[in-house]
Amino acid sequence: MGIDRRAFLKSGAASVAIVGLGGAAGCASPHPHPGAAPRAESESPFRHGVASGDPLTDRVILWTRISPEPSRTLEAIRVEWWVARDAGGTEVVVRGRVDALPERDFTVKVDAAGLESGRDYVYGFECDGIPSPVGHTRTLPEDSVEQVRLAVTSCANYPQGFFNAYACIAQRDDVDVVLHLGDYLYEYANGQYGDGTALGRIPDPLHEIVSLEDYRRRHATYKSDLDLQAAHARHPWITVWDDHESANDSWKDGAQNHTEGNAVGDANGKGRGEGAWNARRLAAIRAYHEWMPIRELPTGIFRTFRFGRLVNLVMLDTRLHGRDARVAPKDSAGAEDPDRTLLGADQTAWLLAQLSDSKRDGTRWRVIGQQVVFAPLFGDSDDFNVDSWDGYRANRREVIEHFEREGIDDVVILTGDVHSAWALDVPSSDGAGVEYDAESGRGSRAVELVTPAVSSPPIGTEPRARAIFEDSARKIPHVRYSNFRENGFIVVDLTRERARAEFYFSESVKQREAACSLREVFETRAGANHLVRVTSK
């Protein structure tokens, strides 16, 4: 089973309340409603910032959240929104009103249409006469475009450290879109996977999140971070979830970090569980759609974005849509099972069609944004990552064989999840009969770039994981670069001639600072399907 879209739509999570001039009391006017005292600036209702996301050529999602006064927690609250061409916000091109509803946790999303392609805009909201912070966004280009730059991130753990990568991204003017590949937040109790006490970064609630209210409060904790707010306000984002937005190592019918069963247990506490997985999954999905600047589609979160004829960005859901349960550790035979899938048959067919259509349309680069490492990393070793594509090899082979059969080149796969940085060639499938050559790149069908974690502990901090991955990096010829010890992000720069990856790393996540260093640069030339180092520092 994939996500139960009908149940999700019935829950109200997918309905955005865009209303006309009539309706809720509250913020419809730039002045407070009669008889109400104005709120002080320090009591701004916009305590979680503003964000934009899922840009298209003529529209973009705008997001904010209203923190209601205690007396207004059961009523709809009116909010005004606007989009303007100029930084001062005087050349308004579109505006409207929307209700922040208690059933959506007072989050607001607007699909602001009627915009011009390939241009910058500023936007904002107003409630009870109080303006929100002003955000900057950008629509996608429709026709000719010479360059696209994507800031690629994943794995931001609030109690583990500061979001310095976000602070660095917020300072950049050369990014078109921030691409977040999952683990935007973590579900654990404070102290279970990072204790934020010493840093003053204790997540709310303190316990592991399970219910809808829990997930909403955890999203609110993360969006209270000023560096995350700044990065959201500065650039439009395109996001997907990985596992921790629901529970560790999740799949369509369960998760490693979920105990099925009664949440109370018997009189002796035996049998205590975390409820039904489907209820927890739907709660996580609902909160994610409420709190993220993502367009809500009945087909799910796998979707595409086209940057003219230069880039076709294909976003996948490798977690909750079609993934089968992972195999047991060291079960190589199970990983080869042709009946097991990571994407599901429908999403796999959709992906292959998107790749073929992109080539047919003459688009230069096919960029796949997804969650877990695609390229084989462990050869014949039984110490493979069962949670990655290595644990679903038939599904991976189906994708690579489609590259070969259709002659599809210039595929760049972008990945998060593993708290480390990698540059990888993706070798041909076993049936192609072409042996991979590291020097020339012969036998490679695509390239993969893995972004380091924003603040989650790098895998190099865990001795056994470090030993396994370092051994793999030494032995596997298609590993072009790896870094297991630092946090950071990647900027992917695409032109018609080449796709380039700039690896940036933070000095530390234990103190707040907007300092990131460019450490490595790799690129693949058009038609090469092979990464080479451009420079290093």
Side-chain angles (χ1 to χ4, degrees):
M1 292 174 58
I3 294 171
D4 186 343
R5 295 295 164 191
R6 291 184 180 179
F8 172 57
L9 290 169
K10 287 179 180 179
S11 75
S15 60
V16 180
I18 305 296
V19 299
L21 297 182
C27 302
S29 167
H31 304 288
H33 54 275
R39 296 173 71 175
E41 191 68 30
S42 61
E43 298 175 343
S44 170
F46 301 101
R47 300 174 196 171
H48 300 95
V50 298
S52 69
D54 278 14
L56 300 178
T57 56
D58 67 338
R59 65 190 61 213
V60 66
I61 296 291
L62 308 179
W63 179 95
T64 193
R65 197 255 181 179
I66 302 301
S67 297
E69 295 171 309
S71 62
R72 303 178 70 182
T73 56
L74 298 179
E75 66 181 74
I77 299 175
R78 182 60 57 80
V79 183
E80 292 188 343
W81 59 271
W82 55 270
V83 181
R85 290 190 180 94
D86 65 314
T90 59
E91 297 180 43
V92 175
V93 295
V94 61
R95 69 192 322 152
R97 294 172 177 176
V98 57
D99 284 347
L101 302 173
E103 56 264 36
R104 285 188 61 91
D105 201 21
F106 296 97
T107 59
V108 170
K109 281 207 290 194
V110 177
D111 201 347
L115 308 180
E116 298 175 38
S117 63
R119 70 162 297 146
D120 294 85
Y121 290 95
V122 296
Y123 66 93
F125 300 84
E126 188 172 283
C127 179
D128 284 343
I130 299 174
S132 73
V134 174
H136 166 267
T137 193
R138 176 179 291 127
T139 53
L140 299 188
E142 190 166 16
D143 296 315
S144 61
V145 57
E146 300 300 320
Q147 185 179 36
V148 171
R149 284 175 66 82
L150 310 171
V152 186
T153 68
S154 74
C155 304
N157 189 320
Y158 186 85
Q160 289 278 9
F162 291 98
F163 295 161
N164 293 331
Y166 292 154
C168 294
I169 291 170
Q171 292 182 339
R172 303 184 71 105
D173 294 325
D174 62 343
V175 169
D176 296 300
V177 169
V178 175
L179 197 62
H180 200 290
L181 299 177
D183 294 344
Y184 183 91
L185 54 74
Y186 282 74
E187 82 277 19
Y188 296 110
N190 186 53
Q192 187 176 358
Y193 187 52
D195 189 333
T197 305
L199 298 177
R201 295 175 67 81
I202 300 175
D204 176 53
L206 285 173
H207 57 262
E208 181 176 327
I209 55 177
V210 175
S211 69
L212 175 60
E213 178 65 16
D214 290 345
Y215 282 102
R216 286 169 165 173
R217 287 166 60 185
R218 190 61 59 88
H219 274 280
T221 295
Y222 276 67
K223 278 200 170 68
S224 70
D225 184 274
L226 296 180
D227 294 316
L228 177 55
Q229 288 188 21
H232 269 303
R234 184 65 188 87
H235 307 288
W237 286 43
I238 296 173
T239 70
V240 288
W241 55 57
D242 193 19
D243 52 342
H244 292 289
E245 288 88 347
S246 53
N248 182 57
D249 286 2
S250 55
W251 51 293
K252 62 183 179 182
D253 293 324
Q256 178 275 330
N257 190 29
H258 179 78
T259 304
E260 197 83 13
N262 190 295
V264 177
D266 63 19
N268 298 315
K270 294 182 179 180
R272 180 179 175 85
E274 294 169 317
W277 166 249
N278 195 51
R280 183 177 184 179
R281 182 187 64 166
L282 288 176
I285 291 169
R286 178 169 177 170
Y288 187 91
H289 280 92
E290 289 172 348
W291 279 84
M292 298 296 288
I294 184 173
R295 186 169 284 103
E296 297 172 17
L297 304 172
T299 51
I301 64 167
F302 54 95
R303 59 211 196 279
T304 61
F305 300 88
R306 185 173 293 279
F307 297 75
R309 297 274 179 154
L310 183 60
V311 175
N312 185 31
L313 173 62
V314 182
M315 303 298 290
L316 300 181
D317 179 0
T318 66
R319 279 294 167 193
L320 299 180
H321 179 78
R323 176 191 278 250
D324 290 320
R326 65 181 190 176
V327 297
K330 302 181 182 297
D331 183 7
S332 295
E336 293 283 357
D337 185 348
D339 293 328
R340 297 180 64 258
T341 178
L342 188 69
L343 299 180
D346 58 341
Q347 188 179 186
T348 300
W350 174 85
L351 168 62
L352 302 186
Q354 290 294 323
L355 295 170
S356 294
D357 290 348
S358 176
K359 181 192 176 187
R360 190 178 305 113
D361 293 343
T363 303
R364 169 63 80 193
W365 298 100
R366 282 144 290 282
V367 178
I368 301 175
Q370 54 98 56
Q371 295 84 348
V372 295
V373 175
F374 184 87
L377 281 188
F378 297 96
D380 297 328
S381 170
D382 284 336
D383 276 322
F384 63 94
N385 181 1
V386 298
D387 191 52
S388 71
W389 285 83
D390 268 334
Y392 302 82
R393 297 172 193 174
N395 203 178
R396 177 173 62 195
R397 189 174 299 115
E398 187 176 4
V399 175
I400 296 176
E401 288 178 349
H402 185 76
F403 297 160
E404 296 162 350
R405 184 170 57 251
E406 298 288 319
I408 296 173
D409 295 313
D410 300 326
V411 176
V412 179
I413 300 170
L414 303 179
T415 301
D417 183 63
V418 289
H419 305 183
S420 50
W422 300 75
L424 301 154
D425 286 349
V426 178
S428 298
S429 61
D430 296 337
V434 179
E435 185 176 349
Y436 173 78
D437 178 71
E439 183 76 21
S440 66
R442 183 176 60 91
S444 179
R445 290 302 318 166
V447 300
E448 182 172 12
L449 304 167
V450 183
T451 185
V454 170
S455 66
S456 296
I459 57 173
T461 62
E462 201 285 305
R464 183 176 181 275
R466 182 177 68 246
I468 292 173
F469 279 100
E470 286 180 346
D471 184 63
S472 172
R474 284 192 300 268
K475 292 180 178 178
I476 304 299
H478 57 265
V479 175
R480 312 298 293 159
Y481 169 69
S482 60
N483 183 321
F484 308 132
R485 299 177 180 273
E486 296 178 278
N487 296 95
F489 64 99
I490 300 175
V491 171
V492 177
D493 183 290
L494 302 112
T495 67
R496 291 205 64 81
E497 293 74 30
R498 50 79 183 142
R500 178 174 292 179
E502 303 166 0
F503 289 84
Y504 291 87
F505 295 98
S506 308
E507 293 302 317
S508 171
V509 298
K510 298 307 179 184
Q511 58 186 26
R512 187 183 176 211
E513 57 182 357
C516 299
S517 303
L518 175 61
R519 204 70 55 77
E520 296 284 348
V521 180
F522 282 79
E523 73 175 27
T524 178
R525 306 298 294 181
N529 305 320
H530 174 53
L531 287 166
V532 296
R533 179 182 270 109
V534 175
T535 186
S536 61
K537 294 186 178 181

